[in-house]
Amino acid sequence: MPKNLSGRNFLKLLDFTTEEIRYLLDLSKELKHLKLTNTPHRYLEGKNIVLLFEKTSTRTRCSFEVAGRDLGMGVTYLDPGSSQMGKKESIEDTARVLGRMYDGIEYRGYAQSIVEELAEYAGVPVWNGLTTEFHPTQMLADLLTIEENFGTLKGLNFVFMGDAGNNVGNSLMVACAKMGINFTACGPKKQMPDAELVETCKKIAAENGSTITLTEDVKEGTKGAHVIYTDIWVSMGEPDSVWAERIELLSPYQVNNAVMENAAEGAIFMHCLPSFHDLKTTIGKDIYDKFGLKEMEVTDEVFESRASKVFDEAENRMHTIKAVMYATLK
């Protein structure tokens, strides 16, 4: 049954029921079909949205811009130097100004409290493109990608390798709990999700017939996994000075052939990107010069393997973001 999400903000998946997330995934599939069959779907003709980026991005920006234009909307992009938000103008005032001019506001940047404050005062739907704590639009793309590969979500075994306490790890734990997927955080104790969020997710998971597990044991943690997921070892906005510590801490949790062979037959590999799997980036070359590493969180062999679904996942950002905007603005 269709859900009415008109006028809602999209700030974190904890704000949405399992049924509402299911609706957004099904809507994403419908919109993806329209896109791939070149069927016009300018359902939001005449509306305008603004994208506030305090942190730069490839996938998030392109997904919002293309999705917005596919839906018939005007799109304004404001990069970190193009807005006075938080500098000469308060977040509250920025929200009230933009809410008078636009039908929806996307924010990508720092503290979750910023996007929450924008939502409080804007008077129009606000969408979280990434904060330090959560990355909900990425989660819908991830769930859609998993379902496309397995035909279902409930009962699958999902493993996040490495820095499980970052915004992606936090959000994946919530997404899995909401959708009945068994979630395992496999990494050093120091990089595990916040204990309070873990307990919240355990309660949600129990209601949906799934489990939340934290482990430092790679072999035990990845055994029988249907999905192996990882992220870069140093998140956007963190100083370069932490690379040495993270490399020492997280190297045992690199996704390699041994990890994939320990997973279930037909397991897939996922990564929200960008990834340091070779020396074709300036940071990758710099890390090689300093530490002698040619690959970091995932080996190039796994990244380029048939099990890797990273580019399907990247494409699905556009379809799922389109679903969020349509559902909240229609």
Side-chain angles (χ1 to χ4, degrees):
M1 179 181 295
K3 300 290 179 182
N4 184 5
L5 302 182
S6 181
R8 291 272 297 274
N9 299 306
F10 190 76
L11 308 181
K12 58 185 184 299
L13 286 192
L14 286 170
D15 299 335
F16 290 79
T17 66
T18 297
E19 293 73 25
E20 288 169 338
I21 297 170
R22 175 75 268 159
Y23 165 67
L24 288 171
L25 292 174
D26 290 342
L27 179 58
S28 299
K29 292 178 185 178
E30 292 176 23
L31 293 170
K32 182 172 184 176
H33 174 73
L34 294 176
K35 177 73 172 179
L36 297 183
T37 56
N38 295 312
T39 305
H41 45 285
R42 298 174 66 84
Y43 300 149
L44 298 178
E45 192 87 51
K47 292 186 181 293
N48 294 283
I49 60 171
V50 61
L51 313 179
L52 291 175
F53 275 61
E54 290 192 305
K55 287 184 179 180
T56 56
S57 168
T58 300
R59 280 151 300 282
T60 302
R61 177 182 177 179
C62 293
S63 294
F64 270 100
E65 287 196 349
V66 174
R69 290 182 177 126
D70 280 354
L71 289 168
M73 296 191 289
V75 181
T76 300
Y77 171 76
L78 295 178
D79 65 27
S82 298
S83 168
Q84 296 299 332
M85 186 178 72
K87 302 168 191 172
K88 293 182 179 179
E89 188 166 47
S90 69
I91 295 166
E92 177 183 342
D93 288 356
T94 299
R96 291 188 289 186
V97 168
L98 295 178
R100 297 290 185 99
M101 299 180 181
Y102 293 94
D103 300 285
I105 300 169
E106 181 271 353
Y107 171 80
R108 178 183 172 92
Y110 296 93
Q112 181 74 12
S113 59
I114 296 174
V115 76
E116 300 276 355
E117 188 171 0
L118 282 170
E120 182 179 355
Y121 292 102
V124 297
V126 172
W127 312 298
N128 179 0
L130 174 144
T131 60
T132 302
E133 294 89 342
F134 294 107
H135 197 359
T137 58
Q138 178 68 51
M139 297 307 102
L140 291 181
D142 294 342
L143 291 171
L144 179 60
T145 305
I146 294 168
E147 190 162 78
E148 287 176 338
N149 279 274
F150 295 100
T152 188
L153 293 174
K154 197 170 180 66
L156 294 177
N157 298 322
F158 182 105
V159 180
F160 184 91
M161 297 281 287
D163 183 7
N166 68 12
N167 50 10
V168 173
N170 287 341
S171 299
L172 285 167
M173 183 169 61
V174 173
C176 287
K178 289 280 186 178
M179 303 312 291
I181 302 170
N182 300 313
F183 176 85
T184 296
C186 185
K189 187 177 293 186
K190 186 177 180 180
Q191 302 300 124
M192 287 295 178
D194 175 75
E196 184 177 348
L197 182 61
V198 170
E199 289 307 309
T200 297
C201 288
K202 282 185 175 181
K203 292 175 183 176
I204 296 170
E207 293 171 359
N208 292 303
S210 60
T211 59
I212 303 293
T213 303
L214 310 182
T215 182
E216 295 183 89
D217 189 319
V218 173
K219 192 167 185 180
E220 185 61 33
T222 59
K223 186 177 181 180
H226 298 100
V227 183
I228 301 290
Y229 195 118
T230 194
D231 193 6
I232 55 176
W233 290 342
V234 175
S235 298
M236 184 182 293
E238 292 187 295
D240 290 345
S241 58
V242 304
W243 270 110
E245 177 192 357
R246 293 292 173 79
I247 287 171
E248 181 179 1
L249 196 62
L250 296 172
S251 288
Y253 300 95
Q254 181 190 68
V255 178
N256 50 39
N257 271 349
V259 167
M260 296 306 296
E261 288 169 3
N262 192 49
E265 184 177 354
I268 63 173
F269 169 72
M270 297 177 67
H271 192 306
C272 56
L273 302 182
S275 169
F276 298 121
H277 59 97
D278 55 27
L279 300 180
K280 297 177 183 178
T281 63
T282 54
I283 292 179
K285 291 175 182 176
D286 185 51
I287 294 298
Y288 176 71
D289 291 340
K290 290 179 179 178
F291 304 102
L293 288 179
K294 293 183 178 180
E295 308 158 311
M296 281 179 272
E297 73 278 2
V298 59
T299 62
D300 193 57
E301 188 172 18
V302 170
F303 187 90
E304 298 292 353
S305 71
R306 292 180 62 184
S308 178
K309 305 300 176 184
V310 298
F311 297 111
D312 294 339
E313 185 183 358
E315 178 195 334
N316 281 338
R317 292 293 306 284
M318 175 177 60
H319 306 302
T320 51
I321 282 171
K322 188 182 294 182
V324 168
M325 291 195 294
Y326 175 61
T328 56
L329 291 180
K330 67 178 181 178

